Amino acid sequence: MKVSIIGTTGYGGGELYRILHHHPVFSIQSVHTTRDEIPLYEEFPHLNGITDLKLEHIDAEEIAKHSDIVFLAAPSGVSNKLVPAFSETGIQIIDLSGDLRLTNGQEYKKWYKHEPVESSLLEQAVYGLSEWNKEKIMDAKLIANPGCYPTATLLGLAPVVKEGLIDPDIIIIDAKSGASGAGRAVSKNLLFSEINENFRIYKVNEHQHIPEIQQQLNLWNRGVSPITFNTHLLPITRGIMATIYVKLTDNLHSERLLELYNEQYLHSPFVRVRSSGNFPSVKEVAGSNYCDIGLHVDERTGRLTIVSVIDNLMKGAAGQAVQNANLMNGLDETAGLEFIPMYP
């Protein structure tokens, strides 16, 4: 099958190219940008000698004539202008921006500060949290690929939220990300001298991923109250760690909850649940599509601590997008994604 990538000059688009270059079924037909039409290796010198593809302008009809799938790795506010044009062509669409994730257009406008796409497209879009929405993804033509923070957070919370094992009024998420999560745009806060040997909180109680997490939690359990969610910038390139604090509603031990998580993720090849007393670090999933989860019950307080880590560019973006494309086309969901994490 042939695929095209829109927004190939960003980190997410570059990671899509890396994955798809080795995919056993998908073949990269074309790469596109709204910027200069230059050889891709001039934008990403690490691809010199690997590809001679040239960045092309975006023509939805022409792309759909030659490709079966289009990945939209454009920023929010740009992608929402592309989706309507591609939706008319019948091509499979996987959108990596936040433009299709919120089912309420006014909520999107409030948090993203852009005009939403038309409601009919929002209704068609399937939320691509691969492990928990597999059947709908398999029948979808339009995928809203989850955000990086929501992926780590929701995979960590899903078993206990769905089983009603926690107090739905108290969910606290303390999340941290590497600098690549902010993309390639120039920003003072991302200068080496600003981020190196530093640790900064940002978008306090205002991060645009809050409503996305809230929306999915409420689908699993309508009683979940507004969450507390804050984000921090780590002086590293890749990785997300979400440390989640919840109050248990019953006297459960760590071992019982580990059994639950192992049961829930038994058929999820990219979720690895750590053994008792073992907690993951971001380096242990770098460059891979894995989400590693560790947890522990503090019997003194009755609180459960969940630690969930992913590579924000892989499971948090491009890796999950390819996983969804595999599911949409009846392939093994691991196809082209069985990267061993880069360590150290």
Side-chain angles (χ1 to χ4, degrees), residues 301-331:
T301 62
R303 295 188 184 95
L304 168 66
T305 300
I306 306 164
V307 180
S308 177
V309 301
I310 62 171
D311 182 322
N312 54 290
L313 295 178
M314 285 292 292
K315 186 59 174 168
Q320 186 157 226
V322 174
Q323 186 178 356
N324 285 327
N326 288 338
L327 291 169
M328 293 168 76
N329 291 286
L331 305 176

Side-chain angles (χ1 to χ4, degrees), residues 233-251:
L233 184 60
L234 291 169
I236 62 174
T237 301
R238 291 171 177 257
I240 280 179
M241 175 179 285
T243 307
I244 306 163
Y245 305 95
V246 291
K247 180 77 172 177
L248 293 167
T249 55
D250 203 352
N251 186 24

Side-chain angles (χ1 to χ4, degrees), residues 288-307:
S288 79
N289 201 49
Y290 289 111
C291 172
D292 283 11
I293 299 172
L295 54 86
H296 184 265
V297 175
D298 184 345
E299 297 179 12
R300 179 179 58 87
T301 62
R303 295 188 184 95
L304 168 66
T305 300
I306 306 164
V307 180

Side-chain angles (χ1 to χ4, degrees), residues 49-310:
I50 295 174
T51 179
D52 58 1
L53 281 176
K54 182 179 179 180
L55 292 163
E56 303 175 23
H57 73 280
I58 302 168
D59 183 326
E61 289 188 9
E62 192 65 24
I63 291 169
K65 285 180 184 178
H66 303 285
S67 290
D68 304 292
I69 309 168
V70 61
F71 292 89
L72 303 182
S76 296
V78 174
S79 191
N80 65 2
K81 297 177 176 64
L82 299 173
V83 169
F86 279 106
S87 67
E88 295 175 359
T89 68
I91 193 172
Q92 292 181 358
I93 305 167
I94 300 177
D95 180 34
L96 280 74
S97 81
D99 290 345
L100 299 175
R101 297 174 192 157
L102 302 183
T103 57
N104 185 316
Q106 292 308 306
E107 277 287 286
Y108 169 85
K109 187 174 181 179
K110 172 185 174 182
W111 288 89
Y112 283 86
K113 315 302 181 188
H114 300 300
E115 289 298 320
V117 299
E118 57 189 77
S119 58
S120 61
L121 289 172
L122 293 177
E123 291 169 2
Q124 292 176 38
V126 171
Y127 189 58
L129 189 64
S130 306
E131 283 70 22
W132 292 101
N133 219 10
K134 193 170 295 187
E135 291 185 5
K136 289 184 178 179
I137 293 168
M138 292 171 72
D139 293 329
K141 292 282 287 183
L142 177 60
I143 293 289
N145 212 59
C148 50
Y149 281 125
T151 296
T153 300
L154 293 169
L155 290 176
L157 276 170
V160 288
V161 170
K162 290 173 71 70
E163 294 296 321
L165 299 179
I166 62 172
D167 183 343
D169 291 330
I170 307 172
I171 297 177
I172 299 172
I173 302 126
D174 179 50
K176 306 102 179 165
S177 174
S180 61
R184 296 186 84 191
V186 177
S187 169
K188 182 182 73 173
N189 287 339
L190 296 176
L191 293 173
F192 178 80
S193 55
E194 298 281 343
I195 192 172
N196 184 49
E197 298 183 358
N198 200 1
F199 186 49
R200 176 185 288 117
I201 191 169
Y202 67 100
K203 294 185 179 179
V204 178
N205 297 321
E206 295 179 349
H207 199 285
Q208 69 272 17
H209 286 169
I210 291 174
E212 179 183 342
I213 297 169
Q214 190 74 52
Q215 176 179 270
Q216 186 59 46
L217 291 176
N218 286 138
L219 287 174
W220 289 334
N221 185 336
R222 292 183 181 180
V224 172
S225 297
I227 61 173
T228 295
F229 175 85
N230 278 307
T231 53
H232 307 74
L233 184 60
L234 291 169
I236 62 174
T237 301
R238 291 171 177 257
I240 280 179
M241 175 179 285
T243 307
I244 306 163
Y245 305 95
V246 291
K247 180 77 172 177
L248 293 167
T249 55
D250 203 352
N251 186 24
L252 296 170
H253 300 289
S254 300
E255 287 72 19
R256 174 65 193 98
L257 289 171
L258 285 168
E259 288 176 6
L260 170 66
Y261 274 68
N262 279 305
E263 290 167 5
Q264 296 276 13
Y265 287 120
L266 179 62
H267 301 293
S268 298
F270 291 118
V271 178
R272 305 187 297 188
V273 180
R274 296 298 183 91
S275 59
S276 180
N278 191 323
F279 295 91
S281 69
V282 293
K283 178 66 78 172
E284 293 154 1
V285 297
S288 79
N289 201 49
Y290 289 111
C291 172
D292 283 11
I293 299 172
L295 54 86
H296 184 265
V297 175
D298 184 345
E299 297 179 12
R300 179 179 58 87
T301 62
R303 295 188 184 95
L304 168 66
T305 300
I306 306 164
V307 180
S308 177
V309 301
I310 62 171

Side-chain angles (χ1 to χ4, degrees), residues 38-49:
I38 58 175
L40 182 58
Y41 65 78
E42 289 189 14
E43 186 66 39
F44 285 123
H46 69 287
L47 296 177
N48 190 14

